Amino acid sequence: MHYRELGTSGIEVSEVGFGAWVVGTDWWGDRSDEDSIEMLHHAIEQGIDFFDTGDVYGHGHSEEVVGEALADYRDEVTVATKIGYDFYNNPQAGHGELPKEITGEWVREATEKSLERLDMEYVDLLQLHNANVDEVTPDVLEALDELKEEGLIEATGWALGPSIGWLAEGDMAIEEEFDALQIVWNAFEQDVGNHFLDTIRETGSPTSLIARVPHSSGLLNEQVRPETELGSGDHRGFRPDEWYETGWEKLEQLRFLERDGERTMAQASIAYLLGYDETAAVTPTFRTKADIDEWAKASDVPKLTDEEMTRVEELYADNFGIDRFDGMDALRSSVDGDDIRAAGLDKRVAKGARNEA
C-alpha cells in the first residue's frame, strides 16, 4: 500500500480507502455489526488506514460501528466523516435525500455529536455533505476554522454527489483551499473529475481529490453482470436498464487495461484514478473480505501508462462509440447547472466568501 498527503494538511492517507457507506446501512444489503467490524479490521491488515463515514449513514449507526472497530487503532488510522443532513428531526423515506442543515451553529453541533458516536476526541477530516454553494457562508467557514483551532478536526473537506449539484460547489472548495474534495469519479463518469482537475491546475490550489464509486456501482469490477439479480434493498436496483446495457458494452472496450496475473479490471479502475497526482485516495465500496484483498492491491499494481490513460480519456470523449444515452441524465445535475437553476436554487460561485464576513 502506498500513501499520499491530503492537501497540505500533513495527513497521509492510504491510496485505497474504506468507504463506510456500506457499514451501518442496508443500502448495499444487510450485514451484522460484527461482520462490519471484521471487515474494517481486515482492511487495516491489508494496509488501509483511511476510513470515510458520514453522520447520516444509518442515522449515526455507521459512525458508531466505525468508532468501535477503530478504537484500538486510533493512532494508526485516518478517520473522515461528513455532516450536513438533519436526520435528527426527519425520518428517512426510502433512498430520498433528507433536508439539509448547514449553518455555523449546526457545523459545531453536528461535529460534536459525530465525535460522541465515534467515541473520539477529534476527527482527521470533516467534510460538508452535499452542501450547496450558497449554504457555505462565512459563518460556516469560520466555524470550520474554529473547530480546527480547537483540535476537534485536523482537516476540512467537501463531499459532493452527482445528482445534487457539484460544479460551483467543487470550484468553491478548491478556491477556498479545502484540504479535500470528494467526488463520484470513474472511467465511465469522467466529467466531474476532469473539471476539477482543470480547476486545481488553473488555481494552483493544494486541494486533493478523493474519488468514490470507482467501479461505477459494480460495472467496472464486474459484480453487476447481465444475469445479476439485485436484492430488494440494493439501491442499484433503481437504475434504468439502459445504464446496465451501455455499461456492459463500455466495459468490453476497456479490456486492454487488464494484465493477466498482474492487474484485474477492478484494480485497473482504481489505478486509473490514482494516475492523477491530484488524487489522494480512492474509496471503493467493499462488500466482502475478498473485495478488500483484491482492491487494496490496486495501490501496487503496474501503473497505467500515459498511452493507457490517454486511451481511457479518448474513449470517454467519444462515449465509447455508443450512440445512445445510459438513461441516467435525469439523475444527474448538468455541468453548467441549468437544471439546478430551473429548480430555483442559487448556483453562483461564491468566490472570496471567507473575506465577506
Side-chain angles (χ1 to χ4, degrees), residues 160-162 182-186 189-193 210-214:
L160 300 175
Q182 183 173 163
I183 57 175
V184 173
W185 186 18
N186 56 66
E189 299 171 273
Q190 295 181 34
D191 279 350
V192 180
I210 298 173
R212 67 182 181 90
V213 199

Side-chain angles (χ1 to χ4, degrees), residues 83-151:
I83 60 170
Y85 283 105
D86 181 11
F87 59 89
Y88 300 97
N89 300 302
N90 298 279
Q92 184 75 49
H95 291 174
E97 187 184 12
L98 289 168
K100 281 182 288 185
E101 181 72 29
I102 300 174
T103 63
E105 183 179 355
W106 183 267
V107 165
R108 173 172 291 279
E109 181 179 348
T111 300
E112 291 174 348
K113 289 181 177 178
S114 286
L115 291 174
E116 289 177 9
R117 286 188 292 268
L118 288 163
D119 195 20
M120 296 178 180
E121 295 182 356
Y122 69 97
V123 66
D124 299 276
L125 174 65
L126 180 71
Q127 301 162 97
L128 301 179
H129 201 174
N130 288 329
N132 291 111
V133 69
D134 53 307
E135 295 169 330
V136 185
T137 63
D139 286 344
V140 169
L141 295 173
E142 183 178 355
L144 292 172
D145 286 342
E146 290 174 353
L147 290 172
K148 188 180 292 188
E149 291 169 2
E150 295 169 22

Side-chain angles (χ1 to χ4, degrees), residues 46-63:
Q46 304 310 310
I48 294 173
D49 75 352
F50 178 46
F51 297 87
D52 176 39
T53 184
D55 66 355
V56 75
Y57 300 158
H59 287 199
H61 189 54
S62 178
E63 289 180 325

